[in-house]
Amino acid sequence: MRKLHNLKLIGLVTILAVTLIFTSISFVEAQSKAKGKPPDTGKPPKCNNNGICEKGESEDCPDCQQQEIQPLEIDQSGLQIVTGGFENRVYQIKYKDGEYKNTWTSKSLGAVTRAVSIGDADNDGQKEIITTVNFGKGRGKKGRNHQKIFLYEDGSTGDPSWESPNLGYSLTGVRDSIIANADNDSEGTKEIILVENMHIEIYRLTYDQNSNTYNFEFLWRSPEYSSSIWSVDVGDADNDSENEVVLSLFGIGSAVVYEYIGDNTWGNPVTTDSICSCNIDIAKVRDADNDDFNEIIGGGTSNALNVWKYIGGAYVNVFLGDDLGGYTQGVGAGDVNGDGDNEIILGSSMGSDYSKLCVFQFLFVDPDNYIYQLEPLNSIPISGVDKLTVGDVDGDGIDEIVLGFKGITVFDFESGNLKETYNFPYEGYLTVDLEVG
């Protein structure tokens, strides 16, 4: 009898437990239905199907797939925008059929795509797109890290046509790159110049069509500086009809200019006049004053336009503009209003109050003594600036302003006013570059 009584008790407890579980499930389901959809957190959902592969979306999302991406078509005679960033891909943006379009996206390289450039990187007579990627884990000498260059040719469906051997490691990764004729050879052979934190490295890539092989050569490495190099440009800075390599340097308020001295060597570095104990974020070789001779224009934590001119064997600071209130990380020059002369374009970045895009005329006041005036033409507020470049990307004969900061934005300068004509939004960080020369 005691066994039977115990069995009855066990059965009753089991029935009560099942009832409680069923009731709890029903209550949770009812609560979930009552709550409805989860609140919008402002972050992209796992798949939002908006046509853009955003940070936080799964690789399996339709936005992050490549089936609908057309083969890469590089405009060999005109300009197009190429970019990359924390989304681990490379993008091409072109003006096509009357509008700007994201016309091509590479497959993911698995790491941040930095220092994106376009030009004849392999010296086969056609433009290519390159990017550098830092792989590995750990830091310093004990870290298993390396960097590579990836090259994309016309017709790519997302995969690179070539990748370099391991290039070693820089703690910050490759920060900037340019494809240009840095050694002034008569054949016009281009070199690839990379900014590796506190030094630069120069390489040459050639493609042999007969053997269908690439030849990749390390040419030169600069001395190691005690502070960071933020950007590199190539152009005739001293107006001797030969190109120089120009670096922007942190800490000393100067740019550094290297000449090609032969035998795959760049030497005789010349430092421009120091403007302050500040960082130069950007230095470019441009004709700022429309006298048919180049100057070096720059900016950074001086919060202003900096202009150096080669006079009497030295790069003299001939102009330091007014403080714009924010870092002048974006500096460019081009004919944005179609008047035949270059204008100066500055992008400053320091929070919502001081981030703005400005267009100026750079005018001689006293040509004999190199005295200038910076006349403002227009300015508008922006979110910030990482990189700025100027070029005729829509083929209308007038330059546009291309701004990189959490996406790509294109501005026209029409009737004296800046006008946004395209925006490629991205939650992640993107860099921007245009073809050089």
Side-chain angles (χ1 to χ4, degrees), residues 100 112 124 166 180 189 217 239 242 356 399 423 437:
Y100 292 98
V112 176
D124 67 347
N166 295 349
T189 304
E217 304 172 78
N239 299 290
E242 292 192 341
K356 53 189 174 182
D399 289 339
N423 181 252

Side-chain angles (χ1 to χ4, degrees), residues 77-95:
S77 59
L79 299 179
Q80 57 254 279
I81 303 164
V82 292
T83 185
F86 286 133
E87 309 305 332
N88 304 340
R89 292 173 171 81
V90 178
Y91 305 88
Q92 179 198 51
I93 298 170
K94 293 172 65 177
Y95 189 80

Side-chain angles (χ1 to χ4, degrees), residues 20-32:
L20 285 170
I21 292 170
F22 179 79
T23 303
S24 298
I25 292 171
S26 300
F27 178 75
V28 169
E29 287 180 348
Q31 287 288 92
S32 298

Side-chain angles (χ1 to χ4, degrees), residues 324 326-331 345-349 356-358 382 385 388 403:
L324 295 178
Y327 301 156
T328 42
Q329 292 176 303
V331 177
I345 297 89
L346 300 179
S348 64
S349 188
K356 53 189 174 182
L357 181 64
C358 309
I382 56 175
V385 57
L388 181 151
L403 187 71

Side-chain angles (χ1 to χ4, degrees), residues 194 243 330:
L194 306 180
N243 286 338

Side-chain angles (χ1 to χ4, degrees), residues 81 83 93 329-331 345-349 355-358 380-390 400-411 420 422-424 430-434:
I81 303 164
T83 185
I93 298 170
Q329 292 176 303
V331 177
I345 297 89
L346 300 179
S348 64
S349 188
S355 295
K356 53 189 174 182
L357 181 64
C358 309
I380 58 173
I382 56 175
S383 299
V385 57
D386 170 68
K387 194 167 185 180
L388 181 151
T389 192
V390 180
E400 284 73 43
I401 302 163
V402 185
L403 187 71
F405 183 79
K406 293 187 176 179
I408 303 298
T409 308
V410 181
F411 297 89
E420 181 182 312
Y422 174 74
N423 181 252
F424 180 52
L430 291 176
T431 61
V432 59
D433 206 348
L434 279 177

